[in-house]
Amino acid sequence: TEGTTMKMDKAKVENCIAKTRAFYDTKAVGCALLKVKNIATLPSPALSLTDYTFPDDVYKYLDARAQCTIERLARAELADDTVPAEGPWYGIAEHTAFLGGRVDYESDTSWHYAMLDAPGELEKLAMDENNPVFRMVNGGIAYLREKYSDYFLPMVRGASGALEMANTLRGNDFFYDFYEEPEDLKALLDYCADALVWNYEKQMEAAGDVYGGVVTGFGEWLPGRGLGHVSEDTTTMISLEQFEEFGRPRTERIFRKFDEVFIHMHALSERCLASVASLPNIRLMELSSDPNTDRAVEVWKRSREKLTRVIPVLRLTRAEIESNMDLLKSQKTVVWYDAACMEDAQDMCALFARELPVR
């Protein structure tokens, strides 16, 4: 499958990065970047994590992942704004398992078992570069970068925020800690914030400089020392007051160590959006839709007056794009799109070029 036709078009990639940079820099509204995420009639080949034994099969798995990416990039010659990039991915566990503990794999994700019987047990955790999960992620980024640099750009894995890390390390008892052991919980959150920065900086080191920036864990390029994605999913389950006291000081400390941030949030976190958006250095805020609540674009519209410092990243349907064209023309937006077929994807690219150009 390794034909010259499948190699990355460097000029096209440079244009894509230049357009992304111009999009960030422009003061004009009515500009958007379009990322076609899936094409229903051209499904991406799916790998099952349970077909591999980790860490033994890590390179075999990464080679298979790279081949899937090369095939996907080759079949979809689209004029959208997707940066061709790939990185290691072994499920959700790697956001905390680099500190130790047991991991189980399922076909499409992984689980990290709670390690701490109390929030004060920091001695059970270790920032160790020899940890197998740390090596799978950071060594994996370096491996893909060295072996496949003609085919796609290196991509980091991203991070779970400090609250989310503490939740994973403690399990559901985490939610009692706010009331029963608040000071120990704050010490654990401080540790998680430091560990996040340590691990993410190692990821950036492994990826190297990518056109003066970083391709973040969800594929969005950020200039400079870009941090992304960082998820604040725990804000779906706690009060604004709890976020302000426990989460915000750690998240702020993390964000101040980077130039730009891509943050992943959920529509269910509506009560915390304004607080999160006021944190320093956020460039992009992705708002995911959730079951049993309003679609992300509706939540965004309700909150947008308080979120003017961030650019939204929204996964929109064709109907949502068409009915919200006035909204898109009044702001800057990154749109993720799942196309029905190739014709639909191409038509959407043409619509964005015509109606929402970067200028």
Side-chain angles (χ1 to χ4, degrees):
T1 57
E2 292 197 1
T4 49
T5 52
M6 294 189 177
K7 288 196 174 175
M8 185 167 60
D9 180 342
K10 294 270 169 60
K12 188 179 172 188
V13 174
E14 284 167 22
N15 286 339
C16 185
I17 299 280
K19 181 178 176 182
T20 305
R21 201 186 275 279
F23 169 77
Y24 292 152
D25 289 345
T26 185
K27 297 285 184 278
V29 295
C31 309
L33 298 179
L34 174 69
K35 317 287 177 106
V36 176
K37 291 293 186 180
N38 300 290
I39 300 173
T41 52
L42 295 172
S44 295
L47 300 178
S48 173
L49 291 165
T50 48
D51 290 343
Y52 303 86
T53 303
F54 295 110
D56 299 358
D57 293 338
V58 66
Y59 297 118
K60 183 177 153 191
Y61 168 73
L62 289 171
D63 285 334
R65 188 169 171 79
Q67 285 308 320
C68 290
T69 302
I70 290 166
E71 284 170 36
R72 188 186 79 240
L73 293 169
R75 53 138 220 243
E77 270 298 306
L78 281 174
D80 73 337
D81 303 306
T82 300
V83 177
E86 191 55 274
W89 183 91
Y90 317 93
I92 201 80
E94 56 231 35
H95 290 323
T96 41
F98 70 90
L99 295 171
R102 177 182 152 205
V103 175
D104 274 358
Y105 292 90
E106 291 184 15
S107 63
D108 62 349
T109 194
S110 54
W111 304 103
H112 185 209
Y113 284 76
M115 292 173 65
L116 306 183
D117 298 319
E121 296 182 333
L122 299 183
E123 71 281 353
K124 289 187 178 177
L125 306 173
M127 294 182 227
D128 175 10
E129 289 190 36
N130 292 315
N131 170 293
V133 173
F134 176 92
R135 290 174 66 168
M136 279 165 53
V137 172
N138 290 278
I141 294 168
Y143 176 78
L144 292 172
R145 172 192 174 188
E146 285 155 23
K147 188 166 179 181
Y148 295 99
S149 59
D150 286 343
Y151 297 91
F152 48 75
L153 301 175
M155 184 161 113
V156 298
R157 177 64 181 94
S160 285
L163 283 166
E164 228 170 295
M165 290 174 71
N167 187 1
T168 303
L169 295 169
R170 281 286 288 130
N172 287 334
D173 287 349
F174 163 80
F175 293 102
Y176 293 104
D177 293 340
F178 286 95
Y179 304 98
E180 293 175 355
E181 303 186 65
E183 294 313 310
D184 280 358
L185 177 56
K186 286 174 181 175
L188 174 58
L189 290 166
D190 285 336
Y191 182 94
C192 290
D194 291 342
L196 184 161
V197 172
W198 173 77
N199 187 37
Y200 188 83
E201 287 187 330
K202 295 291 183 187
Q203 292 181 35
M204 287 198 308
E205 215 173 282
D209 177 83
V210 182
Y211 292 104
V214 179
V215 182
T216 59
F218 285 178
E220 300 299 324
W221 179 85
L222 289 176
R225 281 170 51 82
L227 170 64
H229 65 287
V230 172
S231 52
E232 285 285 359
D233 291 6
T234 312
T235 53
T236 61
M237 313 252 272
I238 62 174
S239 69
L240 173 60
E241 293 71 25
Q242 285 173 314
F243 175 73
E244 288 284 345
E245 182 181 348
F246 291 86
R248 185 187 176 89
R250 281 95 207 159
T251 304
E252 179 163 347
R253 204 171 77 232
I254 293 163
F255 288 6
R256 286 199 186 282
K257 294 185 186 293
F258 297 91
D259 299 329
E260 308 247 337
V261 178
F262 172 110
I263 189 161
H264 162 80
M265 299 285 292
H266 281 257
L268 273 175
S269 298
E270 185 168 357
R271 64 187 168 276
C272 294
L273 291 179
S275 176
V276 172
S278 69
L279 286 161
N281 300 333
I282 300 177
R283 173 72 74 173
L284 301 173
M285 176 185 277
E286 187 231 338
L287 207 50
S288 289
S289 291
D290 292 297
N292 307 318
T293 188
D294 292 337
R295 291 276 300 170
V297 65
E298 299 306 319
V299 173
W300 170 261
K301 283 195 283 195
R302 281 203 294 270
S303 306
R304 66 183 289 234
E305 298 307 321
K306 296 174 283 194
L307 307 175
T308 52
R309 291 177 62 250
V310 304
I311 298 170
V313 180
L314 299 169
R315 194 177 216 115
L316 301 177
T317 64
R318 176 174 279 276
E320 285 174 331
I321 290 165
E322 288 170 353
S323 64
N324 287 292
M325 191 51 78
D326 288 348
L327 171 74
L328 295 174
K329 288 192 169 182
S330 72
Q331 63 182 34
K332 296 201 288 189
T333 321
V334 177
V335 175
W336 292 353
Y337 185 63
D338 296 316
C341 59
M342 194 63 180
E343 191 181 15
D344 177 32
Q346 288 168 333
D347 183 68
M348 192 55 74
C349 290
L351 176 76
F352 269 65
R354 189 172 66 245
E355 298 293 337
L356 299 162
V358 174
R359 59 196 188 279

